Amino acid sequence: MRLALHLAWRFLREGRAQSILILAGVTIGVAAYVFVSSIIASLQRDLLSRTLGTQAQIVVSPPEPEARALREDDTLIARRVEPPEPRRRPFDGWLRHVRALETTEGVSAVCPKVAGPALAGRGAAERAVLVVGADPSRLREIVDLASKMKDGAYRTGGDQALVGDGLADELGLRLGAPFRVTTDRGPTTLRVAGIFDSGAASLDDGWVVTSLRTAQTITGRPGDVTELDLRVDDVYEAESIAASIEARTGLEAVSWMERNRDLLTALKSQDQSSTMIRVFVMLAVAMGIASVLVVSVVQRRGQIGILRAIGASQRLVLGVFLLQGAIFGVIGALFGVALGAAFAKGLGNVTLFAIELEASILIGAASISLATGLVSALLPARRAARLDPAAAIRGDG
Amino acid sequence: MMGAEVRSDAMLELEAVKKSFGEGEARVEVLHGIDLRVRRGELVALVGPSGSGKSTLLNLIGLLDRATSGVLRVQGRDVAPLDDVALTKLRGEALGFVFQFHHLVPALSVVENVMMPAALKRGGFDAAMKARANALLEAVGLKGQGERLPRQLSGGMQQRVAVARALMNDPPLVLADEPTGNLDTQSSDQVFELLRERHRELGTAFVIVTHDPTLAARCERVVRLVDGRVVADGTPDEVLEDRRARKA
């Protein structure tokens, strides 16, 4: 091994220009791999956090009543079955469901919530809003508004409410300012305890967050909730957890994946295209290494023959050329990872999302580079090891 | 009893060795049943016109190629059943090579080239090996040239490096294919003297393929090969025509 490494290094050093060129190729390939992987991973992370940061990962609600055809002794009486009229459905036994869901495997937080439409107004200005009522500490586990407070405090209770900066601008609301919230039950006056900027227009322009009790009063649902919002340990498990909740409880459970099919498709497409880019880049790298080593074997036929003649085994010759591939892989990985990371960090300064370098991407790139070096060296190495020494020395075999 | 003694004295034995290339109608037999014995410490010249099979025979003796039929023994050991690994090992231990075009490894320094047979045997370089390689370089008149690259030396100097390399493992048999073939007269003399010196001092056996009758005449024994057959085997006076003619 030591001798094989020595010979491999000397061979690479002898063909310096060739070695530097292919090393540059491997470096650029690995850098492209790291760069593309980091950008895509960060972009996906950002998209997911923006999407899931403002909505529950699973929403559990009472089941929709099913429209059934009117029958009498197996005789269908109605000609057409109309869907039932929308009406308020009480969430029977929601507290029991909360306790059961809190112990469900994979579920990390449960927030009972009341949400209902209303009109928020101040003076003559009015805007359609969604009154959201929940325990603030539980709501924080689902939608972290506490960390996005622009003004005031994350505090609800009594007549205190949180509004988004969009709504505050529309209605001219400041901290402590009273405003009207009107539902079919009549108007209620709330006061602004805090203004948040979540980054999502639907929340910033349309949410009025109050305590659970206040929202129950405003929406006319005393003691009731409209839904249970859940957070899960693994966001990509949300769909299967939702399905198992539905099967177990008979409630309706909708995951973020079901609600955001387009986003999921976009994420998968990004994944696929980034995988294709990485595969083609590494294929190009592999072909580069292989072609250089094939040329190297041809150029060194005589030397290989002489080494075999003076006692070098086929295994040693195989090792010498495999190690050349490995050296390309290792050095290319070191430079490539550094270069790719630097590019990604540099781009992170000008993009709208933060680019984080994941250890798994860097280690993955380095491992793939080494594997590519070894695999692409395999064919030339076998060719070198199988050279007939007598023919190689004569220069004709 | 006598046979056993002869065998133990034999460095190299060939019995009815044939070598052919190609298959079917394209098959060409280059060696037609060679019988040859080289004793330990012999200095043998192998002469013959181009195409007589000298290099093919040398490749067989050097275990770089396999005979089509016949028996080849190196140090009493039949090489036919040996696999590539065993052949490589035997080649590294029992044989040294000097080629016409010196064939040094250009990527390695001069001293590394000389050390290579020992390094291949032991799996790496060490200080003792380097000391011996430097001593050999000094013996061939290349003291202080060890760290240079082969391309920085003249053809004659490179051939002397090749001689030093061939002697690195103290092999009992050195095979030399036209070792002075592309050297000027002075370098040629120097290289041959080196070989003869090792032969005299260490009893190393040499089989030297040469076209040069002067060089062949300086060997103890000359084997003449014509059309793949040994046609003469004896002292230079017995085998070399010009010497016979001069004597006559």
Side-chain angles (χ1 to χ4, degrees):
Chain A
M1 178 72 175
R2 204 156 45 104
L3 185 61
L5 189 62
H6 184 85
L7 284 168
W9 183 251
R10 286 306 178 89
F11 280 172
L12 291 180
R13 216 177 62 170
E14 190 199 10
R16 197 166 293 153
Q18 231 171 21
S19 302
I20 288 172
L21 279 176
I22 192 59
L23 207 52
V26 179
T27 300
I28 291 168
V30 175
Y33 182 102
V34 169
F35 182 71
V36 169
S37 303
S38 299
I39 298 286
I40 296 290
S42 301
L43 179 64
Q44 291 193 343
R45 207 172 22 244
D46 185 69
L47 273 173
L48 266 183
S49 97
R50 277 174 197 271
T51 305
L52 299 182
T54 55
Q55 60 179 266
Q57 291 164 11
I58 297 175
V59 175
V60 179
S61 54
E64 286 281 347
E66 202 179 318
R68 277 174 296 188
L70 184 57
R71 286 173 184 272
E72 201 171 82
D73 299 332
D74 286 342
T75 308
L76 194 66
I77 294 175
R79 285 185 65 189
R80 201 170 67 174
V81 180
E82 292 281 352
E85 279 180 23
R87 61 188 174 91
R88 286 185 181 168
R89 285 170 289 140
F91 200 144
D92 294 331
W94 63 268
L95 209 52
R96 178 171 47 84
H97 286 304
V98 167
R99 282 196 287 270
L101 290 170
E102 277 175 335
T103 55
T104 299
E105 199 184 332
V107 174
S108 53
V110 181
C111 173
K113 192 170 98 180
V114 168
L119 273 177
R122 184 166 176 257
E126 282 192 328
R127 289 288 176 273
V129 295
L130 187 73
V131 174
V132 174
D135 175 70
S137 59
R138 282 184 182 264
L139 182 64
R140 191 176 182 171
E141 296 292 318
I142 307 296
V143 180
D144 185 15
L145 293 178
S147 67
K148 289 160 184 158
M149 295 308 296
K150 199 174 162 188
D151 208 356
Y154 181 72
R155 190 176 61 231
T156 58
D159 63 350
Q160 291 186 316
L162 308 173
V163 295
D165 56 353
L167 183 65
D169 285 348
E170 293 279 347
L171 299 182
L173 297 174
R174 293 177 185 239
L175 276 186
F179 65 103
R180 213 168 49 241
V181 174
T182 310
T183 65
D184 54 356
R185 302 263 155 183
T188 307
T189 301
L190 298 174
R191 283 182 188 280
V192 178
I195 297 172
F196 58 81
D197 175 13
S198 70
S202 60
L203 270 67
D204 296 342
D205 298 348
W207 269 28
V208 172
V209 182
T210 68
S211 68
L212 185 62
R213 188 177 292 272
T214 305
Q216 284 170 336
T217 307
I218 291 172
T219 57
R221 286 175 171 272
D224 195 14
V225 297
T226 52
E227 63 189 53
L228 306 178
D229 287 358
L230 271 55
R231 203 187 67 205
V232 292
D233 296 327
D234 179 356
V235 291
Y236 291 103
E237 288 295 315
E239 195 149 24
S240 65
I241 294 173
S244 81
I245 290 171
E246 273 192 350
R248 209 176 54 242
T249 61
L251 297 171
E252 200 172 279
V254 181
S255 71
W256 71 271
M257 297 155 104
E258 203 175 323
R259 289 196 310 274
N260 300 276
R261 283 284 173 223
D262 289 349
L263 174 69
L264 207 61
T265 308
L267 291 179
K268 278 183 183 162
S269 305
Q270 279 178 354
D271 256 346
Q272 284 165 353
S273 42
S274 112
T275 303
M276 291 307 285
I277 292 170
R278 286 180 290 189
V279 165
F280 284 124
V281 164
M282 292 324 280
L283 266 179
V285 167
M287 284 178 185
I289 295 176
S291 61
V292 161
L293 290 181
V294 165
V295 170
S296 169
V297 170
V298 173
Q299 287 173 335
R300 295 196 165 85
R301 291 178 54 77
Q303 294 181 51
I304 296 164
I306 214 79
L307 284 171
R308 294 274 290 119
I310 63 175
S313 62
Q314 283 189 331
R315 210 172 140 186
L316 181 104
V317 175
L318 186 81
V320 169
F321 282 87
L322 279 180
L323 281 170
Q324 288 183 64
I327 290 170
F328 281 135
V330 169
I331 299 180
L334 290 176
F335 286 132
V337 164
L339 189 66
F343 273 147
K345 275 285 172 198
L347 188 76
N349 295 331
V350 293
T351 53
L352 293 173
F353 57 92
I355 295 179
E356 282 176 34
L357 295 168
E358 289 175 24
S360 61
I361 291 177
L362 305 185
I363 294 168
S367 311
I368 288 174
S369 174
L370 175 60
T372 305
L374 281 172
V375 170
S376 49
L378 199 60
L379 208 69
R382 281 170 56 139
R383 194 171 157 182
R386 287 176 180 177
L387 273 181
D388 173 7
I393 292 166
R394 279 198 306 269
D396 62 4
Chain B
M1 188 66 192
M2 186 66 186
E5 278 174 17
V6 169
R7 180 154 296 176
S8 69
D9 187 38
M11 183 62 226
L12 193 68
E13 292 168 283
L14 288 88
E15 289 172 13
V17 167
K18 291 184 179 177
K19 177 66 185 176
S20 49
F21 295 97
E23 295 290 329
E25 287 181 10
R27 186 183 169 96
V28 178
E29 192 166 88
V30 179
L31 299 177
H32 311 281
I34 303 286
D35 292 303
L36 182 69
R37 278 181 59 240
V38 176
R39 289 185 300 276
R40 289 177 190 278
E42 258 193 314
L43 181 57
V44 181
L46 193 58
V47 299
S50 293
S52 59
K54 299 187 300 293
S55 293
T56 303
L57 181 59
L58 202 71
N59 283 340
L60 293 184
I61 297 170
L63 310 179
L64 296 173
D65 209 348
R66 287 182 187 270
T68 309
S69 65
V71 178
L72 168 62
R73 291 190 201 91
V74 175
Q75 293 183 305
R77 191 173 175 190
D78 185 1
V79 301
L82 301 182
D83 63 8
D84 186 76
V85 175
L87 278 181
T88 303
K89 190 163 180 280
L90 184 59
R91 204 158 53 219
E93 285 170 357
L95 304 174
F97 290 89
V98 182
F99 298 94
Q100 183 177 4
F101 300 104
H102 29 79
H103 284 304
L104 300 177
V105 180
L108 301 176
S109 67
V110 164
V111 73
E112 284 173 334
N113 265 286
V114 177
M115 282 193 280
M116 192 46 72
L120 288 168
K121 201 169 158 186
R122 284 171 225 162
F125 300 107
D126 62 39
M129 215 180 270
K130 191 166 186 178
R132 174 164 167 72
N134 278 324
L136 278 167
L137 282 172
E138 192 175 344
V140 299
L142 293 172
K143 188 180 177 185
Q145 307 288 333
E147 298 309 321
R148 300 178 79 180
L149 289 171
R151 65 170 178 271
Q152 295 169 310
L153 304 183
S154 70
M157 288 162 100
Q158 287 188 44
Q159 193 63 309
R160 280 184 275 158
V161 175
V163 170
R165 181 180 66 187
L167 301 173
M168 182 69 195
N169 278 349
D170 269 337
L173 173 63
V174 173
L175 307 174
D177 188 3
E178 301 276 8
T180 59
N182 60 345
L183 300 182
D184 57 50
T185 315
Q186 194 188 351
S187 300
S188 172
D189 276 350
Q190 277 179 342
V191 168
F192 184 74
E193 269 317 305
L194 268 170
L195 301 181
R196 205 153 65 168
E197 210 175 281
R198 303 306 290 192
H199 161 68
R200 275 197 298 261
E201 285 174 5
L202 300 171
T204 307
F206 284 87
V207 174
I208 301 170
V209 169
T210 182
H211 274 107
D212 180 359
T214 322
L215 192 143
R218 291 159 76 181
C219 293
E220 295 164 350
R221 179 181 162 197
V222 178
V223 175
R224 180 179 292 281
L225 211 61
V226 176
D227 293 336
R229 289 186 175 84
V230 175
V231 295
D233 184 354
T235 62
D237 285 342
E238 290 165 348
V239 176
L240 299 172
E241 288 100 349
D242 57 334
R243 282 174 71 92
R244 280 209 310 269
R246 267 205 306 275
K247 288 209 167 185

